Amino acid sequence: MDVVNIFLTSELGESLEDFVHDQRRFTFDRLGPEGPRRLVEGPMWAFVDWVMPELAGLEMCRRLRADARTVDAHVTMVLEEDDPEDRRRALRAGADDYVIGPLTRTAVLDRVLALQSRGVERQATRRFELGALTIDMAALQARWNEQPILLRPNEFRLLRFLAENPNRVLTREDLINGLGKREPPIDERTVDVWIGRLRRAIKAAGGGNPLRTVRSLGYVFDLG
Amino acid sequence: MDVVNIFLTSELGESLEDFVHDQRRFTFDRLGPEGPRRLVEGPMWAFVDWVMPELAGLEMCRRLRADARTVDAHVTMVLEEDDPEDRRRALRAGADDYVIGPLTRTAVLDRVLALQSRGVERQATRRFELGALTIDMAALQARWNEQPILLRPNEFRLLRFLAENPNRVLTREDLINGLGKREPPIDERTVDVWIGRLRRAIKAAGGGNPLRTVRSLGYVFDLG
DNA sequence: CAGGCGTGTGACGCGTTTGTGACTGCTTTT
DNA sequence: AAAAGCAGTCACAAACGCGTCACACGCCTG
């Protein structure tokens, strides 16, 4: 039996129990600022409120897109009212589509079933374009002039973080923290090895070297 | 309680009252051509419109960076549409990042909260523009008319210190202390070599000589 | 359980950076 | 005019920082 996992950032007025319908099992779960509480199999659907208690909805959306666990989720933004500007922003933040709230259980299911039956292809959403370099957060893929760069998970995270902070010297400590490495404490020299591997990967894809070493300080992603 | 000071170059459609959210006090203020109207404590965030009534946004951006009072501000440029050229120009002019407008109160708060919650300590971007010379403290890069000057760490520190104290004679001792050299005690004559190397580097980038020797006293960064 | 992959680390070697003494040439002083 | 003072420059050695390699460990897969 198929499973459909639905995550919401806020409580629904109505009940949230899992149930089975039409040969599919629907599960509901809360979605916190740190992302989904549990890992699931099967397609994920996330509904993000425009306003949230702890975190702006757009930021939540971006985080979902950045989180490797939810990269394949279909993200729907919940708008309070039909503002064209907000719609555009929502999509730009990585949402796949939007509904005009408030959210009811019926609205959620309508959405999911409609899209499922239509077999929507989730198009790539969150994308950086920095010169010749493109970073596709949804597909977890980086390209240099359309040429895919073969990156290991850590290298991808590193590139993403550098690209998010262009033209800014990042110390080795910044980079370690930026990749969320805590335990065990990482030796700063290890960052050199990361950079080396990342550079080699970009080069192997025919790319240049956007990563500048700043002696005795750190590294910069050079833009322009 | 933390204070977050937000400055804008144009009116927001929505209300602009100060308010408290999430343990932080947000204050809003207008940003005129002369810079911020008041001095504040705590982090500053400036949002500069691409088009402004009295002044081009880019010029405004440069002025903010040159203004000692706002040097520690995080400057966000507000673009009307997503033009890659404009983005690069904005960053060149000293902006830390940009948003695609128009600006709403929500967009502003998104930006501020998103950046505040990010891992990196965003040390304030300091950017000098002294005639043809530009010093980008974030990227640790100096340019002469857009032409990068290739500086070694010590030379960059020297240039920075000189540029921070323009039109003022700095003794060799000042310079040694200004660069934070303590151990072992540095021979004063060594400063001459530093200056020589710095001059050569600027020249190599097609630049002039803003460093004037004051016989038996020290050196000055000449402005104007 | 073997094999492959991703990743962190210590070690090695090389290029770069940098402080210094010496030499040179210009300027000021006597 | 000679002497003293001062700054510009060069060459060099030592120290430093970075790139890279090989290896070990953990994890997943077949």
Side-chain angles (χ1 to χ4, degrees):
Chain A
M1 178 163 51
D2 292 337
V3 185
V4 179
N5 304 285
I6 299 172
F7 292 85
L8 302 132
T9 58
S10 61
E11 301 287 354
L12 231 57
E14 312 158 58
S15 78
L16 259 179
E17 284 117 31
D18 303 348
F19 70 103
V20 173
H21 169 74
D22 200 10
Q23 296 297 322
R24 278 174 296 226
R25 190 158 66 83
F26 293 84
T27 79
F28 292 92
D29 210 342
R30 276 299 301 280
L31 189 56
E34 311 79 21
R37 304 261 157 91
R38 62 194 172 84
L39 291 177
V40 297
E41 292 201 86
M44 290 179 57
W45 301 76
F47 288 80
V48 178
D49 285 305
W50 186 255
V51 283
M52 292 174 54
E54 306 146 62
L55 194 65
L58 281 179
E59 174 56 20
M60 177 79 206
C61 201
R62 289 194 195 95
R63 288 197 191 180
L64 279 176
R65 277 287 165 250
D67 187 347
R69 292 171 301 173
T70 50
V71 149
D72 287 323
H74 185 105
V75 178
T76 298
M77 197 87 202
V78 183
L79 307 184
E80 289 181 319
E81 49 189 30
D82 193 1
D83 180 354
E85 243 333 282
D86 285 352
R87 287 185 301 195
R88 282 192 33 227
R89 252 203 297 279
L91 296 179
R92 206 179 294 124
D96 297 287
D97 64 1
Y98 54 87
V99 294
I100 313 299
L103 210 53
T104 62
R105 175 163 147 170
T106 318
V108 169
L109 291 181
D110 279 350
R111 200 83 199 160
V112 173
L113 294 174
L115 289 177
Q116 272 211 327
S117 66
R118 237 187 285 150
V120 202
E121 301 263 331
R122 254 187 12 77
Q123 72 275 35
T125 42
R126 183 79 179 125
R127 275 180 94 182
F128 295 88
E129 296 206 14
L130 303 161
L133 184 73
T134 310
I135 303 180
D136 186 332
M137 290 313 300
L140 285 185
Q141 203 182 47
R143 293 168 184 274
W144 189 278
N145 283 334
E146 305 302 315
Q147 183 69 225
I149 304 174
L150 282 74
L151 294 176
R152 282 164 276 198
N154 202 50
E155 288 155 21
F156 188 85
R157 263 174 271 150
L158 179 62
L159 177 58
R160 171 167 91 92
F161 189 70
L162 284 160
E164 275 175 349
N165 298 282
N167 289 333
R168 186 172 265 114
V169 176
L170 298 171
T171 65
R172 295 178 172 73
E173 192 187 345
D174 289 336
L175 293 171
I176 291 170
N177 293 335
L179 299 209
K181 309 260 186 185
R182 297 251 132 201
E183 298 298 325
I186 298 290
D187 188 322
E188 296 211 340
R189 292 290 271 104
T190 298
V191 175
D192 298 11
V193 182
W194 294 350
I195 297 280
R197 286 170 179 161
L198 178 52
R199 280 180 176 148
R200 199 188 313 168
I202 296 177
K203 196 175 189 177
N209 180 19
L211 275 38
R212 176 165 54 97
T213 306
V214 180
R215 198 181 164 88
S216 80
L217 283 177
Y219 298 90
V220 205
F221 187 104
D222 263 329
L223 197 95
Chain B
M1 178 162 49
D2 292 337
V3 184
V4 179
N5 304 286
I6 300 173
F7 291 86
L8 302 133
T9 57
S10 60
E11 300 286 355
L12 230 57
E14 305 149 64
S15 79
L16 259 178
E17 283 119 32
D18 302 347
F19 70 102
V20 174
H21 169 72
D22 201 19
Q23 295 296 326
R24 276 174 295 226
R25 190 157 67 82
F26 294 84
T27 78
F28 293 93
D29 210 343
R30 277 299 301 280
L31 189 56
E34 309 83 23
R37 305 260 158 91
R38 60 195 173 83
L39 293 177
V40 296
E41 291 203 82
M44 290 178 59
W45 301 76
F47 288 79
V48 178
D49 284 311
W50 186 255
V51 283
M52 290 173 57
E54 306 147 61
L55 195 63
L58 282 178
E59 177 54 23
M60 177 78 204
C61 202
R62 287 197 196 92
R63 286 198 194 180
L64 277 176
R65 277 288 167 246
D67 186 347
R69 288 175 305 169
T70 51
V71 146
D72 286 332
H74 183 107
V75 177
T76 297
M77 196 90 202
V78 184
L79 307 184
E80 291 185 305
E81 47 187 31
D82 193 0
D83 179 354
E85 254 314 302
D86 285 352
R87 287 186 299 193
R88 286 196 27 233
R89 259 201 293 275
L91 296 177
R92 278 256 183 73
D96 294 288
D97 64 359
Y98 54 87
V99 293
I100 314 298
L103 210 53
T104 62
R105 175 164 148 170
T106 317
V108 169
L109 292 182
D110 277 355
R111 204 75 201 164
V112 174
L113 293 175
L115 289 178
Q116 278 210 328
S117 69
R118 277 236 198 104
V120 209
E121 290 280 324
R122 309 196 149 250
Q123 78 274 33
T125 305
R126 195 178 276 260
R127 196 180 166 102
F128 302 88
E129 298 214 5
L130 302 160
L133 184 73
T134 310
I135 304 181
D136 184 336
M137 287 312 297
L140 290 185
Q141 211 180 44
R143 292 170 186 270
W144 188 280
N145 283 335
E146 305 297 312
Q147 183 69 225
I149 305 174
L150 282 75
L151 295 175
R152 279 163 279 195
N154 206 48
E155 287 155 23
F156 188 88
R157 263 174 271 150
L158 179 63
L159 178 58
R160 169 173 119 100
F161 189 69
L162 284 159
E164 276 174 347
N165 300 282
N167 289 333
R168 215 183 111 202
V169 178
L170 298 171
T171 66
R172 294 179 172 74
E173 193 187 343
D174 290 338
L175 292 171
I176 290 171
N177 293 334
L179 300 211
K181 308 262 188 185
R182 302 248 131 201
E183 297 298 324
I186 299 289
D187 189 322
E188 295 211 341
R189 286 307 312 285
T190 299
V191 176
D192 298 13
V193 182
W194 293 350
I195 296 281
R197 286 170 179 160
L198 178 52
R199 280 177 176 150
R200 197 189 314 168
I202 297 177
K203 198 174 188 177
N209 180 19
L211 274 39
R212 182 162 52 90
T213 306
V214 180
R215 196 179 164 85
S216 79
L217 282 180
Y219 298 90
V220 206
F221 187 104
D222 266 331
L223 196 90

Short mmCIF file of all heavy atoms in Angstrom, two decimals, chain B residues 154 181 187 190 194 197, chain C residues 17-21 27:
data_model
loop_
_atom_site.label_atom_id
_atom_site.label_comp_id
_atom_site.label_asym_id
_atom_site.label_seq_id
_atom_site.Cartn_x
_atom_site.Cartn_y
_atom_site.Cartn_z
N ASN B 154 50.48 40.93 5.13
CA ASN B 154 50.99 42.07 5.86
C ASN B 154 50.79 43.37 5.10
O ASN B 154 50.50 44.41 5.69
CB ASN B 154 52.49 41.86 6.15
CG ASN B 154 52.91 42.62 7.36
OD1 ASN B 154 52.27 42.57 8.40
ND2 ASN B 154 53.99 43.38 7.22
N LYS B 181 52.02 44.07 15.74
CA LYS B 181 53.26 43.30 15.87
C LYS B 181 53.87 43.59 17.24
O LYS B 181 54.10 44.73 17.59
CB LYS B 181 54.26 43.70 14.77
CG LYS B 181 53.70 43.64 13.38
CD LYS B 181 54.05 42.36 12.69
CE LYS B 181 53.64 42.42 11.24
NZ LYS B 181 53.84 41.18 10.52
N ASP B 187 62.22 45.86 14.05
CA ASP B 187 63.11 46.97 13.71
C ASP B 187 62.32 48.01 12.91
O ASP B 187 61.63 47.68 11.96
CB ASP B 187 64.27 46.43 12.88
CG ASP B 187 65.35 47.48 12.66
OD1 ASP B 187 65.00 48.66 12.46
OD2 ASP B 187 66.51 47.11 12.71
N THR B 190 62.34 48.18 9.14
CA THR B 190 61.57 47.18 8.41
C THR B 190 60.33 47.80 7.77
O THR B 190 59.89 47.38 6.69
CB THR B 190 61.15 46.04 9.35
OG1 THR B 190 62.32 45.42 9.87
CG2 THR B 190 60.32 45.01 8.62
N TRP B 194 58.22 47.38 4.12
CA TRP B 194 56.77 47.16 3.96
C TRP B 194 56.20 48.17 2.97
O TRP B 194 55.49 47.81 2.04
CB TRP B 194 56.05 47.35 5.29
CG TRP B 194 56.35 46.32 6.34
CD1 TRP B 194 57.04 45.16 6.18
CD2 TRP B 194 55.96 46.38 7.71
NE1 TRP B 194 57.11 44.50 7.37
CE2 TRP B 194 56.45 45.22 8.33
CE3 TRP B 194 55.24 47.30 8.48
CZ2 TRP B 194 56.25 44.95 9.68
CZ3 TRP B 194 55.02 47.03 9.81
CH2 TRP B 194 55.53 45.86 10.41
N ARG B 197 57.18 47.54 -0.57
CA ARG B 197 56.46 46.43 -1.18
C ARG B 197 55.02 46.81 -1.50
O ARG B 197 54.48 46.45 -2.54
CB ARG B 197 56.49 45.22 -0.24
CG ARG B 197 57.84 44.54 -0.19
CD ARG B 197 57.94 43.52 0.92
NE ARG B 197 59.25 42.88 0.91
CZ ARG B 197 59.78 42.24 1.95
NH1 ARG B 197 59.12 42.16 3.09
NH2 ARG B 197 60.97 41.68 1.85
P DT C 17 52.93 35.37 -1.11
OP1 DT C 17 51.51 35.75 -1.19
OP2 DT C 17 53.91 35.88 -2.08
"O5'" DT C 17 53.45 35.72 0.36
"C5'" DT C 17 52.87 35.03 1.45
"C4'" DT C 17 53.66 35.32 2.70
"O4'" DT C 17 54.92 34.63 2.66
"C3'" DT C 17 53.98 36.80 2.93
"O3'" DT C 17 53.58 37.14 4.24
"C2'" DT C 17 55.48 36.89 2.72
"C1'" DT C 17 55.93 35.50 3.15
N1 DT C 17 57.22 35.03 2.57
C2 DT C 17 58.17 34.52 3.42
O2 DT C 17 58.03 34.46 4.62
N3 DT C 17 59.31 34.08 2.80
C4 DT C 17 59.59 34.10 1.44
O4 DT C 17 60.65 33.67 1.01
C5 DT C 17 58.55 34.64 0.61
C7 DT C 17 58.74 34.70 -0.88
C6 DT C 17 57.42 35.07 1.21
P DT C 18 53.53 38.63 4.74
OP1 DT C 18 52.40 38.76 5.68
OP2 DT C 18 53.61 39.48 3.55
"O5'" DT C 18 54.88 38.75 5.57
"C5'" DT C 18 55.24 37.71 6.47
"C4'" DT C 18 56.62 37.98 7.01
"O4'" DT C 18 57.62 37.37 6.17
"C3'" DT C 18 56.99 39.47 7.09
"O3'" DT C 18 57.69 39.70 8.30
"C2'" DT C 18 57.92 39.64 5.91
"C1'" DT C 18 58.63 38.30 5.93
N1 DT C 18 59.30 37.94 4.66
C2 DT C 18 60.44 37.17 4.73
O2 DT C 18 60.90 36.76 5.76
N3 DT C 18 61.01 36.88 3.50
C4 DT C 18 60.56 37.30 2.26
O4 DT C 18 61.14 36.99 1.24
C5 DT C 18 59.37 38.11 2.27
C7 DT C 18 58.79 38.61 0.99
C6 DT C 18 58.81 38.39 3.46
P DG C 19 57.44 41.03 9.11
OP1 DG C 19 56.41 40.79 10.10
OP2 DG C 19 57.33 42.14 8.15
"O5'" DG C 19 58.84 41.19 9.88
"C5'" DG C 19 59.28 40.14 10.72
"C4'" DG C 19 60.79 40.06 10.68
"O4'" DG C 19 61.21 39.60 9.38
"C3'" DG C 19 61.49 41.40 10.93
"O3'" DG C 19 62.49 41.21 11.92
"C2'" DG C 19 62.07 41.77 9.57
"C1'" DG C 19 62.25 40.43 8.90
N9 DG C 19 62.11 40.45 7.45
C8 DG C 19 61.11 41.04 6.72
N7 DG C 19 61.24 40.88 5.44
C5 DG C 19 62.41 40.15 5.29
C6 DG C 19 63.06 39.68 4.13
O6 DG C 19 62.73 39.83 2.95
N1 DG C 19 64.22 38.97 4.44
C2 DG C 19 64.68 38.75 5.71
N2 DG C 19 65.81 38.05 5.83
N3 DG C 19 64.09 39.18 6.81
C4 DG C 19 62.96 39.88 6.53
P DT C 20 63.33 42.43 12.46
OP1 DT C 20 63.61 42.14 13.88
OP2 DT C 20 62.66 43.68 12.07
"O5'" DT C 20 64.68 42.31 11.64
"C5'" DT C 20 65.31 41.05 11.54
"C4'" DT C 20 66.53 41.13 10.63
"O4'" DT C 20 66.10 41.01 9.24
"C3'" DT C 20 67.31 42.44 10.73
"O3'" DT C 20 68.63 42.15 11.11
"C2'" DT C 20 67.23 43.05 9.33
"C1'" DT C 20 66.91 41.85 8.46
N1 DT C 20 66.12 42.16 7.23
C2 DT C 20 66.57 41.69 6.01
O2 DT C 20 67.59 41.03 5.89
N3 DT C 20 65.79 42.04 4.95
C4 DT C 20 64.61 42.79 4.99
O4 DT C 20 63.99 43.04 3.97
C5 DT C 20 64.21 43.25 6.29
C7 DT C 20 62.98 44.06 6.44
C6 DT C 20 64.99 42.93 7.35
P DG C 21 69.56 43.29 11.67
OP1 DG C 21 70.12 42.82 12.95
OP2 DG C 21 68.86 44.59 11.59
"O5'" DG C 21 70.71 43.27 10.57
"C5'" DG C 21 71.31 42.04 10.19
"C4'" DG C 21 72.13 42.24 8.94
"O4'" DG C 21 71.23 42.43 7.81
"C3'" DG C 21 73.04 43.46 8.97
"O3'" DG C 21 74.31 43.12 8.40
"C2'" DG C 21 72.30 44.50 8.14
"C1'" DG C 21 71.54 43.63 7.14
N9 DG C 21 70.29 44.20 6.67
C8 DG C 21 69.35 44.88 7.42
N7 DG C 21 68.31 45.26 6.74
C5 DG C 21 68.57 44.80 5.45
C6 DG C 21 67.79 44.93 4.27
O6 DG C 21 66.70 45.47 4.12
N1 DG C 21 68.42 44.32 3.18
C2 DG C 21 69.63 43.68 3.22
N2 DG C 21 70.07 43.16 2.09
N3 DG C 21 70.37 43.56 4.32
C4 DG C 21 69.77 44.14 5.40
P DT C 27 67.30 65.07 -3.50
OP1 DT C 27 65.92 65.44 -3.91
OP2 DT C 27 68.48 65.63 -4.17
"O5'" DT C 27 67.45 65.31 -1.94
"C5'" DT C 27 66.57 64.66 -1.03
"C4'" DT C 27 66.89 65.08 0.39
"O4'" DT C 27 68.15 64.46 0.81
"C3'" DT C 27 67.07 66.60 0.58
"O3'" DT C 27 66.29 67.00 1.69
"C2'" DT C 27 68.57 66.77 0.85
"C1'" DT C 27 68.94 65.43 1.47
N1 DT C 27 70.36 65.01 1.26
C2 DT C 27 71.12 64.71 2.36
O2 DT C 27 70.72 64.80 3.50
N3 DT C 27 72.41 64.31 2.07
C4 DT C 27 72.98 64.19 0.81
O4 DT C 27 74.15 63.82 0.68
C5 DT C 27 72.13 64.52 -0.29
C7 DT C 27 72.64 64.43 -1.68
C6 DT C 27 70.86 64.92 -0.03
#
